[in-house]
Amino acid sequence: MRARDKIVLEEIQIEPGRKQEILQNLRQAAAEKRSIYCPSLWEIFRGQLKYISGFCLGGQGVCLLLLIFIFSYFQRTSQDMMTYLGTGSVTASFIGIFFILELSRNRDYGMTELEQTCYLNLKQIWCVKMILFGCMDLLVFTIMILGIAGNTSWGIFQIMIYLLVPFVWSNGIQLFVFTMLRGGKKEYLQIGTVLLTSILWLYPLSHPRWYTITYFGIWLIALAVAAAFWIREILRVWHKLGEGEMVCWN
């Protein structure tokens, strides 16, 4: 073998002190590396905001602005109590659609995998979105209750029950339809459902006596039944999430 083809291996000599320093640096780098990351509550909400649809957030905002504008118009034109209550009932039935449309996006191809990169599973993602949209719904409800109470003879608790009944029933029905729908065009069917329920809640306004204190107990029973139905649908969705039935249906 020629000399230029020979490979001479020489042992690399490292001073004992230097070797220990290198090993210590490696141990420190390994200890600082985060293999498990638990985000804070603020990081969870901030991370989810960038994934929420602008259409859904904008829809909630438009409902709020329209409600303020309509109630301001009613005050200038001196409308009766039924007009205020009718507007509030339709709004209460309708505002939940934006949360359902937001959940529908999670069933599209790739969306679940994208959002799970935020160190959250699908149940946690939906809980975060439910809290976010729930806070926006609470703001709309507060404006409706104060607006109606300031222009009618009803008390705040009575108005709250009258608005909660259509809101809870509408959301329960929307969740029921949401779990049943499979395939394309589901958003249009969901919107059709909420429009139908909103129109149906205009019917009680043709019978003003139903909003007297005599029938208030019936409203409380209707709210209790609606709440039980809504909770049942939430638990059913939670169960289906655990079984993987709510992911990538289309």
Side-chain angles (χ1 to χ4, degrees):
M1 182 180 295
R2 290 177 295 181
R4 66 172 178 269
D5 295 329
K6 292 182 178 179
I7 300 176
V8 180
L9 299 178
E10 296 181 357
E11 183 180 357
I12 300 176
Q13 299 294 331
I14 301 179
E15 298 179 2
R18 178 62 177 165
K19 182 178 180 179
Q20 291 300 324
E21 181 182 352
I22 294 174
L23 291 175
Q24 182 62 30
N25 291 337
L26 290 175
R27 294 190 190 97
Q28 183 176 356
E32 293 175 354
K33 187 173 181 61
R34 293 188 299 181
S35 56
I36 298 177
Y37 175 57
C38 297
S40 64
L41 185 61
W42 167 242
E43 288 176 310
I44 291 174
F45 279 92
R46 185 181 60 185
Q48 282 301 301
L49 282 176
K50 61 184 177 183
Y51 291 116
I52 294 179
S53 167
F55 170 78
C56 296
L57 284 177
Q60 288 277 27
V62 169
C63 281
L64 179 60
L65 294 177
L66 282 178
L67 188 65
I68 295 174
F69 173 78
I70 292 173
F71 276 11
S72 300
Y73 173 77
F74 286 168
Q75 286 181 332
R76 293 195 301 268
T77 55
S78 301
Q79 298 295 322
D80 58 14
M81 293 190 299
M82 289 294 104
T83 303
Y84 279 98
L85 188 59
T87 303
S89 298
V90 172
T91 304
S93 299
F94 190 80
I95 55 177
I97 184 61
F98 299 106
F99 170 65
I100 299 297
L101 292 178
E102 178 62 29
L103 292 189
S104 296
R105 297 174 62 245
N106 289 110
R107 299 195 301 192
D108 294 336
Y109 284 123
M111 195 61 192
T112 300
E113 291 78 4
L114 175 61
E115 297 199 9
Q116 284 178 339
T117 59
C118 300
Y119 301 94
L120 305 175
N121 59 44
L122 194 56
K123 288 182 179 180
Q124 292 170 321
I125 291 171
W126 283 21
C127 285
V128 169
K129 291 184 176 181
M130 184 176 291
I131 294 173
L132 288 173
F133 280 88
C135 290
M136 290 187 284
D137 291 343
L138 183 61
L139 177 60
V140 175
F141 254 90
T142 302
I143 292 177
M144 286 195 297
I145 291 173
L146 295 178
I148 296 174
N151 295 277
T152 65
S153 60
W154 290 316
I156 291 180
F157 179 73
Q158 192 174 356
I159 296 171
M160 182 177 65
I161 298 300
Y162 290 152
L163 295 181
L164 278 176
V165 171
F167 174 77
V168 177
W169 268 116
S170 178
N171 278 272
I173 293 173
Q174 289 178 58
L175 274 178
F176 175 78
V177 175
F178 174 72
T179 56
M180 294 293 103
L181 291 179
R182 299 170 184 259
K185 307 300 182 183
K186 56 183 179 296
E187 289 84 3
Y188 299 104
L189 294 173
Q190 195 74 57
I191 292 174
T193 300
V194 73
L195 287 176
L196 178 61
T197 55
S198 298
I199 294 173
L200 289 176
W201 281 107
L202 291 176
Y203 177 74
L205 299 176
S206 61
H207 301 79
R209 68 179 184 277
W210 290 359
Y211 292 95
T212 60
I213 196 65
T214 305
Y215 292 87
F216 190 66
I218 297 178
W219 285 94
L220 291 175
I221 295 173
L223 179 59
V225 174
F229 176 67
W230 191 18
I231 293 173
R232 174 183 175 274
E233 291 306 310
I234 292 176
L235 293 176
R236 193 156 67 99
V237 170
W238 189 268
H239 177 70
K240 287 181 177 291
L241 277 173
E243 295 181 346
E245 296 182 28
M246 302 294 293
V247 181
C248 296
W249 275 353
N250 51 340

